[in-house]
Amino acid sequence: MMELHYSLNEIDTIVSESIIPKIENNIICLEGRMGTGKTTFIKSICNNLNVVDKVSSPTFSIINEYKTVNENFIYHFDFYRIENKEEALNLGIEEYFYSSNLCLIEWGSKIEILIPENKHKINLKYIDDLQRKLIFS
């Protein structure tokens, strides 16, 4: 487990130096209250992994698919609006989770039972308008 405090203008450095080198699994769950910067953090991960598509929150579409310069895919999920696990299963999420592609998941706690155990968790905590606390496991 790793714990870091960072300012919002340090996100890219934190991601490139402290997060990307530690990614061992293809699933990363980001948790935190509304406004803690989950989507901003995912944008930084995608930028660091050379995504060529526009990265945005999939709050209404639930899943966004991004392509990298190497023609790989990264999947970005936002389960905030999911009401039950059946709704998530109907989206075919197991196919995404068990692919070798990186899956970045916001609000994964809503469907935790469906997410493989072999995953990373990033918990973001709001400290103030400019500071956050990150716990990576």
Side-chain angles (χ1 to χ4, degrees):
M1 182 162 48
M2 171 179 59
E3 186 174 310
L4 299 168
H5 287 81
Y6 64 95
S7 66
L8 296 181
N9 60 0
E10 294 175 304
I11 290 174
D12 289 330
T13 303
I14 294 294
V15 167
S16 66
E17 294 177 6
S18 300
I19 301 300
I20 302 265
K22 291 186 175 29
I23 295 175
E24 298 172 352
N25 306 315
N26 74 314
I27 297 178
I28 301 175
C29 296
L30 287 94
E31 293 290 333
R33 289 188 352 220
M34 195 79 77
T36 55
K38 293 179 296 297
T39 301
T40 302
F41 209 85
I42 286 174
K43 285 180 182 181
S44 182
I45 292 172
C46 289
N47 288 337
N48 274 278
L49 295 176
N50 301 311
V51 164
V52 296
D53 298 314
K54 182 180 186 296
V55 178
S56 62
S57 177
T59 301
F60 295 100
S61 61
I62 301 173
I63 304 168
N64 283 349
E65 183 177 292
Y66 311 124
K67 191 185 290 187
T68 69
V69 294
N70 297 330
E71 303 285 321
N72 294 320
F73 289 96
I74 295 175
Y75 303 116
H76 179 187
F77 301 85
D78 184 334
F79 292 116
Y80 182 74
R81 296 186 175 280
I82 289 288
E83 307 233 351
N84 55 54
K85 68 180 185 175
E86 287 75 26
E87 190 178 346
L89 286 170
N90 289 338
L91 296 168
I93 60 166
E94 290 177 316
E95 211 172 299
Y96 294 102
F97 292 168
Y98 292 100
S99 74
S100 60
N101 296 308
L102 184 61
C103 295
L104 304 170
I105 303 169
E106 296 184 51
W107 301 100
S109 57
K110 294 190 89 175
I111 59 149
E112 185 137 16
I113 195 165
L114 301 175
I115 299 173
E117 288 184 29
N118 198 17
K119 63 185 170 280
H120 293 290
K121 285 187 178 182
I122 296 175
N123 196 320
L124 299 174
K125 295 195 185 279
Y126 177 91
I127 295 173
D128 61 36
D129 287 348
L130 300 174
Q131 299 278 329
R132 300 293 187 271
K133 176 180 171 182
L134 172 148
I135 300 170
F136 179 87
S137 58

